[in-house]
Amino acid sequence: MRIIALLAVGLYPAIGFAQQPAGPSTTPEHVRREILAVEEHIGQANFDCDYKFFASIEAAEFIFTTAAGGVITRAEDLAGEKDCRPSKGTYRLDDVRIMTLGDVVVFNALATTTTTKASGERLVRTQRFTDVLIRRDGRWQLVAGHTSRVP
C-alpha cells in the first residue's frame, strides 16, 4: 500500500489534474508545473486514501521499492488501499529535482510529513523519494517509485 510505503506522505490537492489532457507546451517550466501538481495530488491521495486516484495514476507496470527494500506491484499497492485509514497532516517538499527526458520525468525530493497520533503526539518524518512518470495518452502515469528514510 503506497501510504505505508511512503510513510504517510501527503501533499496539497490538485483534484483530477492527472486526468486532464496535457497542454501543447512542453517547455521545462510547463512540465515542472504539471509534475508538481501531479505529485501534490499523489501526496494528498495518501492522506485521503483515494483508491480511484491511485488506480488511475499508476501504470499497469508500476513498481514501488519500499524503504525496507521490498517491491510492491500496482496490484499489491491497490489491494493495500483497503486497509488505508484517512488522516490529516501537513507535507513539505524540499530539494525538488525534476529531470525531463522527453515523455519521461524523474521526480526526486525530500518530503517532510507531520501528523498527530491518536495520543496527541506529533509525528514528523522525513524521507527522500523518487517517482518516475511517463506521459501516455495526454496524461502522466507513475511507472516506478522508491523511498528512503532520512534519519
Side-chain angles (χ1 to χ4, degrees), residues 13-14 19 23 30-31 38 59 61 85 96 139:
Q19 299 305 313
H30 178 77
V31 170
V38 169
E61 66 272 28
R85 292 190 179 115
V96 172
R139 64 189 182 98

Side-chain angles (χ1 to χ4, degrees), residues 3 10 14 18 21 36-37 44 46 71-72 85 89-90 94 98 102 114 118 130 138:
I3 193 161
L36 282 170
Q44 185 61 46
N46 278 310
V71 176
I72 298 171
R85 292 190 179 115
T90 62
D94 293 300
I98 301 174
T114 304
T130 302

Side-chain angles (χ1 to χ4, degrees):
M1 174 169 78
R2 187 155 183 155
I3 193 161
I4 291 171
L6 289 179
L7 301 173
V9 168
L11 294 166
Y12 311 103
I15 303 302
F17 191 88
Q19 299 305 313
Q20 296 176 1
S25 174
T26 58
T27 64
E29 186 55 34
H30 178 77
V31 170
R32 180 178 174 83
R33 285 191 309 269
E34 282 184 346
I35 294 301
L36 282 170
V38 169
E39 288 292 340
E40 289 172 356
H41 193 170
I42 290 169
Q44 185 61 46
N46 278 310
F47 279 125
D48 297 341
C49 302
D50 189 347
Y51 173 89
K52 287 175 75 175
F53 175 72
F54 285 119
S56 70
I57 192 83
E58 292 177 359
E61 66 272 28
F62 174 74
I63 60 168
F64 189 82
T65 305
T66 69
V71 176
I72 298 171
T73 65
R74 178 182 189 268
E76 292 166 332
D77 186 50
L78 294 176
E81 286 297 316
K82 70 178 186 225
D83 298 325
C84 182
R85 292 190 179 115
S87 62
K88 294 185 180 189
T90 62
Y91 181 84
R92 186 183 77 235
L93 282 179
D94 293 300
D95 195 23
V96 172
R97 300 167 191 219
I98 301 174
M99 293 187 310
T100 304
L101 308 164
D103 285 340
V104 175
V105 168
V106 178
F107 182 91
N108 181 272
L110 277 175
T112 302
T113 303
T114 304
T115 57
T116 303
K117 292 181 175 184
S119 65
E121 178 186 353
R122 188 171 168 231
L123 179 62
V124 179
R125 291 188 174 143
T126 302
Q127 63 190 13
R128 178 166 294 281
F129 73 98
T130 302
D131 280 341
V132 179
L133 300 100
I134 186 167
R135 188 190 315 254
R136 285 188 181 145
D137 301 323
R139 64 189 182 98
W140 292 102
Q141 285 194 297
L142 280 168
V143 292
H146 177 267
T147 188
S148 297
R149 293 181 188 113
V150 176

